[in-house]
Amino acid sequence: MNQVVRLADIMAKGEIEEHAGPEEVAPRLDAEHLRMLEAILFAASEPLDEAALGRLLPQGTSVAALLAELQEIYRARGVNLVKVAGKWQFRTAPDLSFLLRREKPEQRRLSRAAIETLAIVAYHQPVTRAQIEDIRGVALSKGTIDALMEVGWVKIRGRKRTVGRPVTYGTTEAFLVHFGLESVGDLPGADELKAAGFLDALPASGLDIPAPSENLAPDEDPLEESDPGEGEDNAV
Amino acid sequence: MNQVVRLADIMAKGEIEEHAGPEEVAPRLDAEHLRMLEAILFAASEPLDEAALGRLLPQGTSVAALLAELQEIYRARGVNLVKVAGKWQFRTAPDLSFLLRREKPEQRRLSRAAIETLAIVAYHQPVTRAQIEDIRGVALSKGTIDALMEVGWVKIRGRKRTVGRPVTYGTTEAFLVHFGLESVGDLPGADELKAAGFLDALPASGLDIPAPSENLAPDEDPLEESDPGEGEDNAV
Amino acid sequence: MSDFDDTFVEIEGAASPDEALVVAVDGFEGPLDLLLSLARNQKVDLAKISVLELAEQYLAFVESARSRNLELAADYLVMAAWLAYLKSRLLLPQAAPEGETPADQMAELLRLRLQRLHAIREAGARLMAGNHLGREIFARGMPEPVEVVRVQEQIDSLYDLLTAYSRERLKSVAVRAYKPGHAPVLLIEEARERLERMLGRIGNWSALARLLPPEWSSGVRRRSGMASTLLACLELARDGRIELRQLRPFDEIYVRDRGVREDTEMV
């Protein structure tokens, strides 16, 4: 009843690789795997990592090599294969944004304070509420962090090993996916900010602000399951 | 940071139109339009007809020609450009649709009545319902034969030349494949069953085990095209 | 850095000296933001602004707000106090008091904080102005969902088939060969073994008829089933493992597990 086209059948047919040269060791296999990878990535609604792709492709497929090849094929096309948050996704080419740009009316505009806070969290992470307040020179309202957490761009990522063990904030995978970043290291201008020393601690404020990193900082503890985390918010 | 592949760069390089013939008047322009069309179709949330595409592309673009070219580019790929009900969309290549399917195997076993009936059909074919009931000593419920036909192991193979012309049942090709038999003649006979210990409790009188055959029996007619066959079932 | 100007002109809008500032005080995100705005008015690199001038402007602003009876938030006043102190220190250059930061270092720190705020603000603006997924960049508009298909897999083996066939054929032979003459009887031992297996699972006062083995609960076999099960029950009752109850002669007999009774009484 379930007439499933078997992998083996398709590979046996090997219909695709008309351009396979004689020097290619296993051209039939590769071309067919490339088609599979293309189909999987095209069909997916979310970025996929190499491990997930490996599970969907026949065993022994060199996923990384195939991805590099597919990325090259699509490099100059209207659709590109890009790596975001360490995962792969087809996306429309950036230079065609003039053609595709649509402003969603429901896309709520973040307040100036929220955008500033987002930038501080992104570039300085892991960062505590006190550190955000120190940089902005003003108390941070609960609504601002809430708005960023609601959009799904900011999360509580741990606790700092200092007095009171304040929670630390960081950006989410959704943030990277939304802004098309492979990692927080790819934030625009991160190198310049760092070179100018703006991501360093200021001497008198006694703050300890390392470069943004998704890994736990030396003085940061991971958030435990049972850790309410949010508790800190009420203190301010 | 934002490494944008510029329109101009691509057009200057002219990477797309490797197959562009000398007779094409403005191949560079077309390549850019092709990218636009590709991006529009990729990002579209619904299939688009040529009129809609024409409105989205720069004026004077030959949408039909571009579509034909894009379709050709994607013809042998993992994703194809297809026209459904007059509208265009990208779709996973039909031979790769298995990639979008996760099979969840469910192991099943025939009921005791069903496997006994199957065994009798296998050994005694061609066999009528009345004969099955006679051998088993109990009435055969309609569901039992239906289940065997649904699994695809039993079929109606003809009609017996007796009063009422009851249909005769036999096993299928799928039956042989599943049980690893070359033909029904390979089913072990009385001696083999006894040797294998299946008939240990057999009294001295012995047992008459038939030699099953897929050929028509002397008193059996083949099922005709117009013969509904199933009619007999209701009679019981 | 020069493109910062454009951003800032926009934020300040028509911010001409003092008048606009007072009106716009609500638009500032705290004293540092106000200071940054004042510093931008100096039209020099933030790294080179005159902190003394900045302090004077800020203090003048606070003074002007006071003279118009405008209330300022506490943190604006804290900043004013600090700047007034810094100003006095800058105007009277002398060795810093014991344990205090030298005035020029304090001034430098303020410059750094202003630069840092400006830089991160710029970074935020750049981030938001960049490409957003769903605004300038798009993923597949019609992703194709993964379909989960249940595949039925028959696991009957040839062994099963042959066993079934042999069983079926032997049954008919057996019926023919033995011609059983004796009536089917449920042995008391069988009934008792079965009841013992059920101990603990018998409900509170179950009807005896409901405890019969299914194959002994109808037709002629029911009599033997009932008789043997009752006898087995009597044995078990004698052993103190179950209790029996009958409300009147020939009425239904009820059985309960002694273990069950104890449990329910405890509750």
Side-chain angles (χ1 to χ4, degrees), chain C residues 36-52:
Chain C
L36 185 56
S37 181
L38 291 169
R40 298 296 306 154
N41 284 344
Q42 289 191 14
K43 305 281 182 205
V44 291
D45 189 336
L46 280 175
K48 294 179 185 133
I49 49 160
S50 159
V51 169
L52 187 61

Side-chain angles (χ1 to χ4, degrees), chain B residues 177-211:
Chain B
V177 171
H178 180 89
F179 289 98
L181 300 166
E182 200 133 297
S183 74
V184 290
D186 283 353
L187 280 166
D191 293 343
E192 292 163 276
L193 284 175
K194 200 177 269 184
F198 283 102
L199 298 174
D200 279 350
L202 190 68
S205 64
L207 201 59
D208 176 29
I209 291 180

Side-chain angles (χ1 to χ4, degrees), chain B residues 142-156:
Chain B
K142 177 155 164 39
T144 306
I145 282 277
D146 284 352
L148 292 171
M149 306 240 292
E150 198 177 307
V151 174
W153 290 345
V154 163
K155 67 179 181 204
I156 293 170

Side-chain angles (χ1 to χ4, degrees), chain C residues 149-209:
Chain C
V149 184
R150 287 161 191 251
V151 186
Q152 308 247 313
E153 190 182 21
Q154 291 295 145
I155 53 169
D156 308 270
S157 65
L158 186 59
Y159 179 84
D160 296 332
L161 186 76
L162 299 180
T163 304
Y165 186 66
S166 306
R167 185 171 62 222
E168 198 55 44
R169 295 307 308 278
L170 284 173
K171 196 167 71 189
S172 60
V173 171
V175 169
R176 248 180 272 139
Y178 297 134
K179 296 267 181 234
H182 52 87
V185 168
L186 173 63
L187 298 175
I188 298 171
E189 294 78 44
E190 280 179 49
R192 181 177 170 136
E193 274 173 29
R194 185 165 176 283
L195 281 170
E196 284 179 327
R197 282 200 305 274
M198 290 166 69
L199 282 177
R201 283 183 286 133
I202 299 174
N204 209 8
W205 295 126
S206 304
L208 178 66

Side-chain angles (χ1 to χ4, degrees), chain A residues 100-111 115 147 150-153 174-175 177-179, chain C residues 127-138:
Chain A
L100 304 168
R101 189 182 163 97
R102 18 181 142 114
E103 198 80 60
K104 284 190 201 150
E106 74 270 23
Q107 218 168 24
R108 196 156 48 96
R109 280 207 158 281
L110 289 174
S111 69
I115 292 169
E150 201 177 303
V151 181
W153 290 345
F175 168 83
V177 169
H178 183 90
F179 290 99
Chain C
L127 190 64
M128 296 309 285
N131 287 329
H132 293 232
L133 186 66
R135 199 177 74 179
E136 288 90 3
I137 304 280
F138 295 86

